Amino acid sequence: MAGSVNIRDVAAMAGVSVATVSRTLKNPDLVRPATREEVLRCVAALGFVPNAQARHFRRQATDTVILLVRDISNPFYLDVFKGVEDVASSAGYKVLMGDARSDPARVHHYIDMVRERHADGLILMTGSMPVELDDAGLPPMVVALEYLTTRHLPTVRIDNEGAAAAATRHLLGLGHTAIAHLSGPVPEVMSVARVAGWRRALVEAGVPPDERLEVRGDYSLASGEAAVDALYDRGVPFTALFASNDEMAAGAINRLRARGKRVPEDVSVVGFDDTIFAAVCNPPLTTIRQPQREIGVEVMKLMIERLEGLLAPDATVVVPTELVVRASTAPAGQR
Amino acid sequence: MAGSVNIRDVAAMAGVSVATVSRTLKNPDLVRPATREEVLRCVAALGFVPNAQARHFRRQATDTVILLVRDISNPFYLDVFKGVEDVASSAGYKVLMGDARSDPARVHHYIDMVRERHADGLILMTGSMPVELDDAGLPPMVVALEYLTTRHLPTVRIDNEGAAAAATRHLLGLGHTAIAHLSGPVPEVMSVARVAGWRRALVEAGVPPDERLEVRGDYSLASGEAAVDALYDRGVPFTALFASNDEMAAGAINRLRARGKRVPEDVSVVGFDDTIFAAVCNPPLTTIRQPQREIGVEVMKLMIERLEGLLAPDATVVVPTELVVRASTAPAGQR
DNA sequence: CTGTTAGCGCGTTCAG
DNA sequence: CTGAACGCGCTAACAG
């Protein structure tokens, strides 16, 4: 590689000091135009590429942030990444995407990477956090969509309970009353909030929530399929199902179909997230849209504030969600 | 952050030189056990974390590679990433994932990142390459699944033509003869190879390929939908459709259904890739499985060989594909 | 406007 | 087995 050319070589060739070369590249205004052009000529002639490592080392910054997601297999994070990257690149930052695989040990690993100054900060989209770390040793971190009960960190979030209530009210408005809910893993704050929203909407509509209509999943396609079986095993009839993400909703629809049920004629289904699954789904899924890209944009903005200036440790941005009605829901009693 | 503790602080506390601390951490065998333990005690007491930047700077290496993909929105890359990361992390490397958005300028940007020594190497999963670069200035690069006609680089690939022929033969074996093909963007080598495989299988079966049954897409869901409309507009009947990826196949199925066709009773559909789309699809998609994770594993192995030792510039690894038969294909003439 | 100088934190000589 | 000293390439501070 031509990378072996360094700033001294350029300085020697141009007959100036290394400082002048550095300034030409970084603060051209401080250099006389004639000198500047001569330097640039030499830079080009030698194929000089400044060594980012040396630069970062000198400045004690890497201009890189890590976006750590719960499980990279979930396409949900793809547009978040784009939002993060858009903001990052226009502010001169690079983004490294990491996969926690829902494993606290892996989260720890990434935290260490930042502590070793591999990156300047960490954007967490992971619910689990190693408990053995003391706050003092933590690098700059911000959180999106997850809830870390143990710490106070700047966060981008949505109103999970409100969104779940909106989804449920949509079904109530179509005349459904036997509305099942397929939740995420339950000790988690996010899942609990959505369960609460589902319950609240039912109660407000005068429909007593039936615990037997609440099934737990793990956000996977397979758990959506299993949930349908579990519901039929319990023998409590239902005409609508609100799932806590699109992937489980898709699994549920496939399983309902396999059992000879029509969607939405026999059972209406609502998802959550509005990922690509909602579009691939047949019929296209009614769902709660989370503005993934905007979430990425906002959380990266928080990260920059955190890195560049001070930011209140409990700063919070709430982004709005939206019910998107497609073809997987229909009025009750159509059969 | 506690990161401000450096090796000198540890040395001072332990009453040894910085070299001894460095050795204790890097080559413990060279240090007398008693000294070693005292040093480690001080490391722990001070919460010393070696600064990776300084280390990398000193060694002129970052232990980081960039995985640059055509378009991160495609879930196909997620498992590739996992494979890359598995190999990388057990060899002490970090992985940075970049999104080229099918834009040569962005590819160039990532190449520059490596030239600036932000990372040690670049794994390309992008068809387009800026032409203005001369080979001499290129950093270590390897390629997976794509074909760069302009350069010779170590590559992991599949037999696209053979796989496409296998998909087509599956349909022929079910009695179909009017088999349409929905290709990717056509000047691209990969798309062309798959078209050739489709043609070859037809010819070998004595079925003359009809050009009007060949439609071009861009790997998006929408282009799968549009392709179905285009086929019906052309008025040439078909009972089977082989799409060049799963996402287009899913779009095609949705559009076929919307037009009142049943899948697979009226039209059999085969996809390509075996991404999560194939599972979400209703009916589950018959498709050509590409071993994404293995592709990631192999390409990262090539990268490591390229970085650590020498590697023939035209080294090639071919990974096998496999036809996965699910419910979207059925014998012809069932209606 | 430009040059000189002093590190950033670590790994690696080379002596002892 | 250990310590002193150098330098990786660059930028910031201070002089001129």
Side-chain angles (χ1 to χ4, degrees):
Chain A
M1 270 185 67
S4 53
V5 179
N6 69 24
I7 200 171
R8 272 197 306 282
D9 300 326
V10 178
M13 180 173 176
V16 298
S17 73
V18 291
T20 299
V21 178
S22 177
R23 279 191 282 260
T24 300
L25 267 25
K26 188 84 198 304
N27 290 59
D29 321 318
L30 303 179
V31 180
R32 183 158 47 97
T35 319
R36 190 197 308 164
E37 288 185 19
E38 174 58 16
V39 170
L40 290 176
R41 195 181 350 271
C42 298
V43 165
L46 294 171
F48 170 64
V49 179
N51 184 320
Q53 269 184 259
R55 177 201 188 92
H56 293 158
F57 176 51
R58 182 63 178 83
R59 302 186 329 157
Q60 291 299 317
T62 57
D63 298 342
T64 300
V65 302
I66 296 176
L67 172 64
L68 183 59
V69 303
R70 178 186 283 257
D71 177 4
I72 201 177
S73 298
N74 189 338
F76 179 83
Y77 296 111
L78 300 182
D79 277 330
V80 177
F81 177 85
K82 287 191 177 181
V84 169
E85 216 216 14
D86 283 343
V87 174
S89 68
S90 52
Y93 286 93
K94 273 84 184 176
V95 183
L96 174 63
M97 185 150 169
D99 183 13
R101 303 186 192 186
S102 302
D103 177 359
R106 290 181 61 93
V107 175
H108 197 143
H109 167 78
Y110 281 98
I111 290 176
D112 281 344
M113 277 182 66
V114 182
R115 304 210 306 177
E116 291 167 357
R117 315 262 21 179
H118 220 94
D120 298 342
L122 187 61
I123 300 174
L124 280 179
M125 300 193 74
T126 308
S128 46
M129 263 273 282
V131 288
E132 66 272 22
L133 295 168
D134 54 338
D135 281 38
L138 288 184
M141 295 197 293
V142 297
V143 182
L145 303 188
E146 301 278 354
Y147 297 80
L148 273 51
T149 47
T150 49
R151 327 260 170 184
H152 282 290
L153 293 171
T155 303
V156 173
R157 57 183 49 156
I158 62 163
D159 175 8
N160 279 293
E161 185 176 335
T168 309
R169 275 195 296 267
H170 166 65
L171 293 167
L172 288 163
L174 290 169
H176 297 276
T177 51
I179 302 173
H181 175 50
L182 171 45
S183 77
V186 147
E188 287 183 12
V189 180
M190 190 166 76
S191 309
V192 171
R194 292 180 189 174
V195 172
W198 164 71
R199 275 219 190 92
R200 198 187 73 202
L202 291 176
V203 169
E204 285 176 1
V207 178
D210 185 335
E211 283 195 357
R212 293 166 302 172
L213 286 179
E214 184 190 331
V215 201
R216 291 182 193 174
D218 61 5
Y219 294 128
S220 71
L221 194 76
S223 75
E225 295 171 350
V228 167
D229 292 335
L231 282 169
Y232 282 107
D233 285 350
R234 293 181 192 180
V236 183
F238 61 98
T239 63
L241 172 62
F242 162 46
S244 199
N245 80 343
D246 292 341
E247 196 166 341
M248 292 195 295
I253 288 178
N254 287 352
R255 200 80 194 89
L256 285 166
R257 281 248 178 88
R259 282 173 165 269
K261 306 291 176 185
R262 292 165 305 163
V263 176
E265 293 84 352
D266 299 326
V267 180
S268 284
V269 177
V270 178
F272 205 109
D273 288 349
D274 198 20
T275 55
I276 181 92
F277 289 122
V280 172
C281 219
N282 199 302
L285 203 57
T286 294
T287 190
I288 297 287
R289 192 177 110 72
Q290 296 203 57
Q292 286 110 301
R293 193 164 197 133
E294 186 184 346
I295 289 163
V297 166
E298 294 301 327
V299 76
M300 186 62 206
K301 282 189 192 166
L302 284 184
M303 183 82 252
I304 291 175
E305 287 179 50
R306 172 72 180 77
L307 289 175
E308 298 191 343
L310 279 253
L311 183 66
D314 57 346
T316 297
V317 175
V318 178
V319 296
T321 57
E322 178 191 4
L323 175 74
V324 179
V325 180
R326 296 207 182 87
S328 67
T329 51
Q334 280 203 325
R335 63 167 68 193
Chain B
M1 268 186 67
S4 53
V5 179
N6 68 24
I7 200 171
R8 272 196 308 280
D9 301 326
V10 178
M13 179 173 177
V16 298
S17 73
V18 292
T20 299
V21 179
S22 175
R23 277 191 284 260
T24 301
L25 267 26
K26 189 84 199 306
N27 289 60
D29 322 317
L30 302 179
V31 181
R32 182 158 47 96
T35 319
R36 192 196 307 166
E37 288 185 21
E38 174 57 15
V39 170
L40 289 176
R41 193 180 354 269
C42 296
V43 164
L46 294 171
F48 170 63
V49 179
N51 183 319
Q53 268 184 259
R55 179 199 187 94
H56 293 157
F57 176 51
R58 182 66 178 80
R59 302 185 327 151
Q60 291 300 321
T62 57
D63 297 343
T64 300
V65 301
I66 296 176
L67 172 64
L68 183 60
V69 303
R70 180 187 282 259
D71 177 4
I72 202 177
S73 298
N74 190 338
F76 178 83
Y77 296 111
L78 301 181
D79 277 330
V80 176
F81 177 86
K82 286 191 178 179
V84 169
E85 217 217 12
D86 282 343
V87 175
S89 69
S90 54
Y93 286 93
K94 274 84 184 176
V95 183
L96 174 64
M97 186 152 169
D99 182 13
R101 304 188 191 183
S102 303
D103 177 358
R106 289 181 63 93
V107 176
H108 197 145
H109 167 78
Y110 281 98
I111 291 177
D112 281 342
M113 278 181 67
V114 183
R115 303 211 304 178
E116 291 167 357
R117 314 260 23 175
H118 220 98
D120 297 344
L122 187 61
I123 300 175
L124 280 179
M125 300 194 73
T126 308
S128 46
M129 262 274 281
V131 287
E132 66 274 21
L133 294 169
D134 55 336
D135 281 39
L138 288 184
M141 295 198 293
V142 297
V143 182
L145 303 189
E146 301 279 353
Y147 297 80
L148 273 50
T149 48
T150 49
R151 329 259 170 185
H152 283 290
L153 294 172
T155 302
V156 174
R157 58 184 48 157
I158 62 163
D159 175 7
N160 280 293
E161 185 176 335
T168 309
R169 274 195 296 269
H170 166 64
L171 292 168
L172 287 162
L174 290 170
H176 296 275
T177 51
I179 302 173
H181 176 50
L182 172 44
S183 77
V186 148
E188 286 182 14
V189 179
M190 190 165 76
S191 310
V192 170
R194 292 180 190 173
V195 171
W198 165 71
R199 274 219 191 94
R200 197 186 75 202
L202 291 177
V203 169
E204 286 175 2
V207 177
D210 184 336
E211 284 195 356
R212 293 166 302 172
L213 286 179
E214 183 190 332
V215 201
R216 292 182 193 174
D218 61 5
Y219 294 128
S220 71
L221 193 77
S223 76
E225 294 172 350
V228 168
D229 292 334
L231 283 170
Y232 281 108
D233 285 350
R234 293 182 190 178
V236 184
F238 61 98
T239 63
L241 172 62
F242 162 46
S244 199
N245 80 342
D246 292 343
E247 196 167 341
M248 291 196 295
I253 288 178
N254 287 352
R255 200 78 193 90
L256 285 166
R257 281 247 177 87
R259 282 174 165 268
K261 306 291 175 184
R262 292 165 305 162
V263 176
E265 293 84 351
D266 299 325
V267 180
S268 284
V269 177
V270 178
F272 204 108
D273 289 348
D274 199 20
T275 55
I276 180 93
F277 288 121
V280 171
C281 219
N282 198 301
L285 204 57
T286 294
T287 191
I288 298 287
R289 192 176 110 73
Q290 296 203 59
Q292 286 111 302
R293 194 167 198 130
E294 186 184 346
I295 289 164
V297 166
E298 294 301 328
V299 75
M300 186 63 205
K301 282 188 190 164
L302 284 184
M303 183 84 250
I304 291 175
E305 286 180 49
R306 172 71 181 76
L307 289 175
E308 297 191 344
L310 277 252
L311 182 66
D314 57 346
T316 297
V317 174
V318 178
V319 296
T321 57
E322 178 192 2
L323 175 73
V324 179
V325 179
R326 298 208 182 87
S328 67
T329 50
Q334 280 203 325
R335 63 169 67 192

